[in-house]
Amino acid sequence: MTQPILISIDRLMARIEALHQISPIEGGGNARLAFTDEDKAGRDLVVSWMRDLGLEVSVDGIGNVVAVQPGFDTAPVMMGSHIDTVATGGRFDGNLGVLAGLEVIEAVIDSGAQLERPLLAVALFSNEEGARFAPDMMGSLVYVGGMALEEALSTEGIDGTFVGAELDRIGYMGGSPIPGMAPHAFVEMHVEQGPVLEEEGVTIGAVESVQGISWTEVNITGQSNHAGTTPMRLRRDPAYVAAEIMVFVRELALRYGGDQVATTGRIELHPNLVNVVPATASLTVDLRNTDEAVLAAAEAELMFRLDELAVAEGVLISTTTLARFEPVVFAKPVVDLVEASARARGLSVRRMPSGAGHDAQMLARVCPSAMVFVPSVAGISHNPAEFTASDDIAAGAQVLLDTVVALASGYLEQSAHSAAV
């Protein structure tokens, strides 16, 4: 009888803690923006672990790091995620998917199991968060050919730097081909970043889909003037218009209901003084929905409202699309396998959508893909207080292992044969 392959939760948690010690911030989180010195230090650590396992490591032109078991000539099963964070990030978002992938490979190596296909961990896709350089999921988007490498490298960040120059500076502008190789399948483990699993007392989320995302930067130009001497009827106030936009998108999301969400995450005023009517305002609008038609309708309403406000308030309004991704539906056979793997371990599981964007939605363009979610305490993420219990991490990593071992042992071929019979 073949012995089951088991992950080591102690080994996985030790790596999570070691990576957390690079760029820790108050409250238990991390600040590791893409292509910073902190990102380089995190990459260097993860790459050292890959090489310790005897994996073949390569880096492509956008800085995606790929580690693969040597000695195979077939399309690999791929795992992974990202290690960049937002400025006030947690220690699990992204990092867990990378390090769980490494743990799966190490557990398979330790077991001596012989698989038909290699297990490949993408230790990190570059700039998944998009916190410094838009769009988010840049590395995986370039990897699958959805964004030209030249365009990505010329992207300017919020601090006036450019992707190409920063990648070169930290030594992670590699030479592996772009687009990258299409995997046999891709599975990403991630914390839920929402409250559903914890609220329902469920351990594993078998992710069926990812919401569509629309990021828009809105720039408003009015007339700067004295706050005490300028009558209200004569003002061309960008701050007021920005406030109207923020209220509008909130009310739009509530009116649409269902899966529609809307967020203003950043607002900047100039000159940003207490006694001056601003000259300009800049804000971002993040719209998301699982239904592409509904998302497009919300975008159209936003643009109509911007036109109305420009006329009514005598200001100029321009917009820039920072990111736009349609909703993604993951491959049913892989989602089914995640669910079956959880049930086989006696774990509670539910099928669910993801409200956040993930690298898996980009890989779904080129191969069958899915995700494994584990609970986030209180649904908190993009926050130093983000937390997932080690028991849940162990359960999710084991489901990840069981899923990718099945994929590397002919599961998709068997499923296709069964469907054809």
Short mmCIF file of all heavy atoms in Angstrom, two decimals, residues 53-56 68-72 118:
data_model
loop_
_atom_site.label_atom_id
_atom_site.label_comp_id
_atom_site.label_asym_id
_atom_site.label_seq_id
_atom_site.Cartn_x
_atom_site.Cartn_y
_atom_site.Cartn_z
N LEU A 53 16.56 22.94 -2.38
CA LEU A 53 15.78 21.75 -2.73
C LEU A 53 16.23 21.14 -4.06
O LEU A 53 15.65 20.16 -4.53
CB LEU A 53 14.29 22.11 -2.83
CG LEU A 53 13.60 22.48 -1.51
CD1 LEU A 53 12.15 22.87 -1.76
CD2 LEU A 53 13.68 21.32 -0.53
N GLY A 54 17.26 21.71 -4.65
CA GLY A 54 17.77 21.18 -5.91
C GLY A 54 16.92 21.53 -7.10
O GLY A 54 17.01 20.87 -8.16
N LEU A 55 16.12 22.57 -7.00
CA LEU A 55 15.24 22.97 -8.10
C LEU A 55 15.99 23.84 -9.09
O LEU A 55 16.93 24.56 -8.73
CB LEU A 55 14.03 23.72 -7.56
CG LEU A 55 13.19 23.00 -6.50
CD1 LEU A 55 12.03 23.87 -6.05
CD2 LEU A 55 12.70 21.66 -7.02
N GLU A 56 15.57 23.77 -10.34
CA GLU A 56 16.14 24.63 -11.38
C GLU A 56 15.41 25.97 -11.35
O GLU A 56 14.19 26.02 -11.54
CB GLU A 56 15.98 23.98 -12.75
CG GLU A 56 16.80 22.70 -12.91
CD GLU A 56 16.60 22.04 -14.26
OE1 GLU A 56 15.64 22.42 -14.98
OE2 GLU A 56 17.38 21.13 -14.59
N VAL A 68 11.66 24.65 -10.82
CA VAL A 68 11.06 23.41 -11.31
C VAL A 68 11.94 22.22 -10.95
O VAL A 68 13.16 22.33 -10.93
CB VAL A 68 10.84 23.47 -12.84
CG1 VAL A 68 12.15 23.63 -13.57
CG2 VAL A 68 10.06 22.27 -13.35
N GLN A 69 11.28 21.10 -10.66
CA GLN A 69 12.03 19.86 -10.47
C GLN A 69 12.76 19.51 -11.75
O GLN A 69 12.17 19.53 -12.83
CB GLN A 69 11.09 18.72 -10.09
CG GLN A 69 10.52 18.79 -8.69
CD GLN A 69 9.59 17.63 -8.43
OE1 GLN A 69 8.49 17.60 -8.94
NE2 GLN A 69 10.04 16.68 -7.63
N PRO A 70 14.04 19.20 -11.69
CA PRO A 70 14.80 18.87 -12.90
C PRO A 70 14.47 17.47 -13.40
O PRO A 70 13.93 16.64 -12.68
CB PRO A 70 16.25 18.95 -12.43
CG PRO A 70 16.19 18.61 -10.97
CD PRO A 70 14.89 19.19 -10.48
N GLY A 71 14.78 17.26 -14.68
CA GLY A 71 14.70 15.91 -15.23
C GLY A 71 13.39 15.54 -15.88
O GLY A 71 13.14 14.37 -16.16
N PHE A 72 12.52 16.53 -16.15
CA PHE A 72 11.26 16.25 -16.81
C PHE A 72 11.21 17.02 -18.13
O PHE A 72 11.76 18.10 -18.25
CB PHE A 72 10.07 16.67 -15.94
CG PHE A 72 9.90 15.85 -14.70
CD1 PHE A 72 10.55 16.19 -13.53
CD2 PHE A 72 9.07 14.74 -14.70
CE1 PHE A 72 10.38 15.45 -12.38
CE2 PHE A 72 8.91 13.98 -13.55
CZ PHE A 72 9.56 14.34 -12.39
N PRO A 118 6.37 16.90 -13.61
CA PRO A 118 7.03 17.64 -12.54
C PRO A 118 6.03 18.54 -11.82
O PRO A 118 5.04 18.99 -12.38
CB PRO A 118 8.07 18.48 -13.29
CG PRO A 118 7.48 18.67 -14.65
CD PRO A 118 6.74 17.39 -14.95
#
